[in-house]
Amino acid sequence: MGKYKILILLPLFLFALVISGCSSNSDDKSSNDKEINDEVSKDNPSGDLAPLEEKATVVIAEDGSASGAGFYIAKEKGYFEDYNIKVKFAKFANSDDMLPALASGEVDIAGGISSASFFNAIAQGINVKIIADKGHNITGSSYFSFVIGEDLQGEIKEYSDFEGKRIAVSTKNAVDDYIFQKMIEHAGLTEDDVEFVLMSDFGNMLASIANGSIDAALQIEPLITQGIEEGIHVRFGDTTDYAPEAQIAMVLGSPNFINEEKNVSLRFMAAYLKGVRDYNDAFIKDEGKDEIIKIMTEHTSLKDAELWEKVSVTGLNPNGEMFVDDIKSQYNMYKDNGAISGELDFEKAIDTSITEKAVELIGKYEQ
């Protein structure tokens, strides 16, 4: 009977060894699959990285904002397709819904606006990665800047002349508030020296300046240009006078997408940056502008091609670089205001490795 048991157990033991060996080989293959395939060849459709062997779908949370230009251009010009990537755009009612979806991997890529609620979500356990630039002001031509009533040009000539004036800002403890704080500090004023008017709707700012209920506003394009053309307001200085490196929006990545699907995320980032570079060629170097404006009118709420020739556009860094110190400065302001609960580990939250690797492979854009 003992011999019989041994004969039964021996094949089971051998079977277990075979299974164990197969499992080990499978794990090795899985591990190899996660290594970045970064061999570059001019013979590839992209001119650099080879396309993925199997088509990958990347879901982007995007609402048609102008700062999503890199995504739209890369899609329409076939840069994603060159890598065998298909992109899908998903809309969310608000960023509060978007962040959990991003952290869970339901969404792969999204855009984040600097705010206390954004930093709070990360500090309290929502795991997303800040990976690249998605919006800043261009020096001397900010798309997000202060305007004053046209009839106040003779009265408000210096930043210090904002004393006693009613100034509309769209949010508290977000990048708008941060820029406002930087402006009054630059003016040598305090919050008590001006009347802060919280006004969430930029369209209402335009109407309120027109009827004289406010004197100034931190306004955004294309309403800045619209108000100028209608004789309602004029630009007052430029945001880069006092906040030259304000990081307004960032590209965010799902941890799974960035860490577990590196072959996909690397190619995604390379395609995105190519789109951003075409955007810069168009609006900074005036090269191929008609094609890019056509794409922007298709994907954003600004449908007037002629207006695209006049507005101050969102700044997008063609190498994906962010003003990291400014992100930390904004966080510290919100924390000092008591709007942040918990601590944010920036070493974990900011991960630019995929962006830097993509630039290494496709080459640095010289501005």
Side-chain angles (χ1 to χ4, degrees):
M1 178 68 88
K3 182 179 179 181
Y4 179 75
K5 285 184 177 179
I6 291 171
L7 290 173
I8 293 293
L9 292 173
L10 183 59
L12 290 175
F13 175 71
L14 292 174
F15 179 73
L17 283 177
V18 172
I19 291 296
S20 175
C22 289
S23 177
S24 176
N25 290 338
S26 176
D27 287 346
D28 288 344
K29 182 177 185 301
S30 176
S31 177
N32 289 336
D33 284 346
K34 291 178 183 179
E35 293 177 6
I36 299 180
N37 178 5
D38 58 4
E39 294 182 10
V40 171
S41 172
K42 292 181 179 178
D43 295 330
N44 292 324
S46 63
D48 42 71
L49 294 167
L52 297 164
E53 291 184 5
E54 295 183 6
K55 185 177 287 293
T57 298
V58 177
V59 181
I60 308 169
E62 187 54 74
D63 59 1
S65 64
S67 65
F71 304 136
Y72 315 140
I73 296 167
K75 178 179 184 296
E76 296 302 332
K77 296 198 70 172
Y79 298 144
F80 290 125
E81 187 178 347
D82 285 344
Y83 296 120
N84 206 17
I85 292 173
K86 177 182 178 181
V87 295
K88 288 184 177 180
F89 294 110
K91 292 188 177 182
F92 286 81
N94 54 60
S95 59
D96 291 340
D97 293 337
M98 176 195 72
L99 288 177
L102 186 66
S104 69
E106 180 185 340
V107 169
D108 300 303
I109 294 288
I113 302 294
S114 170
S115 68
S117 61
F118 168 72
F119 290 127
N120 260 326
I122 300 177
Q124 293 170 14
I126 297 292
N127 187 13
V128 301
K129 301 298 181 184
I130 301 170
I131 61 175
D133 173 51
K134 193 177 178 281
H136 62 271
N137 284 312
I138 296 172
T139 302
S141 186
S142 296
Y143 79 102
F144 193 44
S145 207
F146 280 98
V147 294
I148 62 172
E150 190 178 51
D151 59 333
L152 295 175
Q153 292 179 80
E155 185 178 343
I156 304 176
K157 297 180 179 180
E158 306 289 340
Y159 284 103
S160 57
D161 294 333
F162 276 116
E163 184 173 7
K165 298 297 185 287
R166 295 157 296 178
I167 305 174
V169 180
S170 66
T171 58
K172 282 288 287 181
N173 290 313
V175 67
D176 317 50
D177 189 15
Y178 175 76
I179 289 173
F180 166 75
Q181 297 288 345
K182 285 288 187 181
M183 187 276 287
I184 59 173
E185 180 183 341
H186 177 76
L189 304 172
T190 69
E191 287 186 81
D192 293 334
D193 294 322
V194 300
E195 185 179 339
F196 180 97
V197 180
L198 187 61
M199 190 174 292
S200 61
D201 190 294
F202 291 105
N204 286 345
M205 292 181 187
L206 199 65
S208 296
I209 285 186
N211 65 31
S213 59
I214 60 172
D215 304 305
L218 180 54
Q219 186 58 277
I220 196 166
E221 289 286 17
L223 294 178
I224 293 175
T225 298
Q226 181 184 331
I228 292 170
E229 293 197 334
E230 293 178 6
I232 295 171
H233 62 222
V234 296
R235 277 180 170 269
F236 186 82
D238 191 81
T239 299
T240 55
D241 293 341
Y242 42 85
E245 297 184 344
Q247 188 67 53
I248 297 171
M250 298 81 72
V251 178
L252 309 177
S254 158
N256 290 340
F257 182 65
I258 299 303
N259 297 324
E260 304 298 328
E261 302 177 39
K262 290 186 177 179
N263 276 311
V264 182
S265 59
L266 177 62
R267 284 160 175 77
F268 176 89
M269 183 53 67
Y272 168 72
L273 292 177
K274 289 178 183 180
V276 171
R277 292 173 182 201
D278 286 350
Y279 175 88
N280 275 263
D281 286 346
F283 292 108
I284 306 301
K285 299 182 178 179
D286 200 26
E287 298 172 1
K289 187 184 282 188
D290 289 347
E291 180 185 14
I292 299 306
I293 287 177
K294 184 175 184 296
I295 292 171
M296 296 303 288
T297 58
E298 289 174 358
H299 284 272
T300 70
S301 59
L302 181 52
K303 304 299 182 184
D304 186 340
E306 290 185 6
L307 198 53
W308 272 106
E309 295 279 2
K310 300 175 182 179
V311 298
S312 295
V313 298
T314 307
L316 294 173
N317 189 289
N319 295 310
E321 296 169 352
M322 297 179 287
F323 297 118
V324 173
D325 286 344
D326 189 76
I327 296 173
K328 294 176 180 178
S329 178
Q330 292 181 50
Y331 168 82
N332 288 330
M333 188 195 92
Y334 309 144
K335 193 167 183 62
D336 290 344
N337 289 347
I340 300 283
S341 56
E343 294 291 333
L344 194 153
D345 186 344
F346 282 100
E347 293 300 317
K348 291 182 179 179
I350 297 177
D351 183 353
T352 59
S353 57
I354 287 293
T355 305
E356 291 165 10
K357 184 69 174 177
V359 172
E360 179 186 326
L361 292 169
I362 67 176
K364 193 173 179 68
Y365 182 95
E366 299 299 334
Q367 301 191 55

